[in-house]
Amino acid sequence: MRTLQETPDLSACPAADEAIDHHHDLVRRTAAGLAAEVADSYEDARAAFEFVRDTIPHSQDSGDPRVTWRASDVLERRTGICYAEAHAPAAPLRAEGIPTALCYQNLGVVHGLVAVRFDGAWHRQDPRGDGPGVDARFSPDGGRLAFTPGPAAGERDHPLLYAASHPVVLDVLKAARDRTHLWRTLPTALPDHAGS
């Protein structure tokens, strides 16, 4: 795995935005409920990861045609694809003051992950949800992601961390009429430079 690199705007990672809407009442209630059960930021991050992984199925796995992209919508409707599932733990963690960022892999299409900062370092996590051949686990070294890029297939980890959903990703989510439409328009690459 390549070293994760902060983009210049990552100082904004505790901030709310249109996708990571941690000011929303449902997000705040979710954050408070998760935080009440744990003792520290590591356990809070693990609880948020497991909550999303275990209670919000990937819409492809469940057959749900709805497209969600705001964290509050993901939590309310209990559905989303990987990008939305990365927004879902980021929002309650930011509501609790725990820095989170978004990051990506190229697996033929762009796959969304969340990164959480604890113990002085960033740790990538994939709350996508388990399924056939998928066994994602919360791991302090980020080593239990749902998918491992295959270099021979041109797949790779993107090394950059973003404070907000990448504009290419967010535009595709917002424009999708349903999951079938979204599947036809998923981005196949992201520029590597910061601020893209």
Side-chain angles (χ1 to χ4, degrees), residues 58-105:
H58 191 284
S59 58
Q60 176 71 19
D61 297 344
S62 67
D64 195 320
R66 297 174 295 170
V67 175
T68 55
W69 54 273
R70 283 187 186 91
S72 58
D73 291 338
V74 177
L75 294 171
E76 179 183 349
R77 297 178 185 166
R78 298 281 200 241
T79 190
I81 70 163
C82 60
Y83 313 130
E85 289 178 313
H87 299 162
L93 290 173
R94 286 186 183 185
E96 291 295 315
I98 298 171
T100 64
L102 300 169
C103 50
Y104 303 92
Q105 294 175 307

Side-chain angles (χ1 to χ4, degrees), residues 6-195:
E6 297 183 14
T7 56
D9 65 345
L10 207 55
S11 62
C13 71
D17 63 30
E18 63 180 332
I20 303 173
D21 56 344
H22 70 68
H23 56 277
H24 191 280
D25 287 343
L26 176 57
V27 173
R28 291 212 172 265
R29 286 193 311 272
T30 302
L34 292 170
E37 300 176 12
V38 298
D40 58 31
S41 61
Y42 174 85
E43 288 300 317
D44 203 359
R46 184 190 55 73
F49 166 86
E50 289 176 354
F51 175 77
V52 172
R53 182 198 63 194
D54 298 344
T55 67
I56 301 173
H58 191 284
S59 58
Q60 176 71 19
D61 297 344
S62 67
D64 195 320
R66 297 174 295 170
V67 175
T68 55
W69 54 273
R70 283 187 186 91
S72 58
D73 291 338
V74 177
L75 294 171
E76 179 183 349
R77 297 178 185 166
R78 298 281 200 241
T79 190
I81 70 163
C82 60
Y83 313 130
E85 289 178 313
H87 299 162
L93 290 173
R94 286 186 183 185
E96 291 295 315
I98 298 171
T100 64
L102 300 169
C103 50
Y104 303 92
Q105 294 175 307
N106 187 325
L107 303 170
V109 294
V110 175
H111 178 62
L113 308 168
V114 65
V116 183
R117 188 166 180 86
F118 52 83
D119 296 334
W122 288 100
H123 305 274
R124 294 182 317 155
Q125 308 297 327
D126 190 348
R128 181 231 183 270
D130 290 340
V134 179
D135 182 25
R137 299 282 174 236
F138 185 80
S139 173
D141 65 5
R144 292 296 303 270
L145 301 177
F147 305 105
T148 302
E155 298 175 349
R156 66 189 185 94
D157 290 315
H158 287 272
L160 296 178
L161 297 174
Y162 297 88
S165 193
H166 194 288
V168 168
V169 168
L170 195 55
D171 288 349
V172 166
L173 285 169
K174 290 167 75 172
R177 296 183 302 273
D178 56 29
R179 189 175 37 83
T180 301
H181 177 253
L182 177 62
W183 244 235
R184 291 193 304 262
T185 60
L186 287 174
T188 57
L190 294 178
D192 262 346
H193 51 71

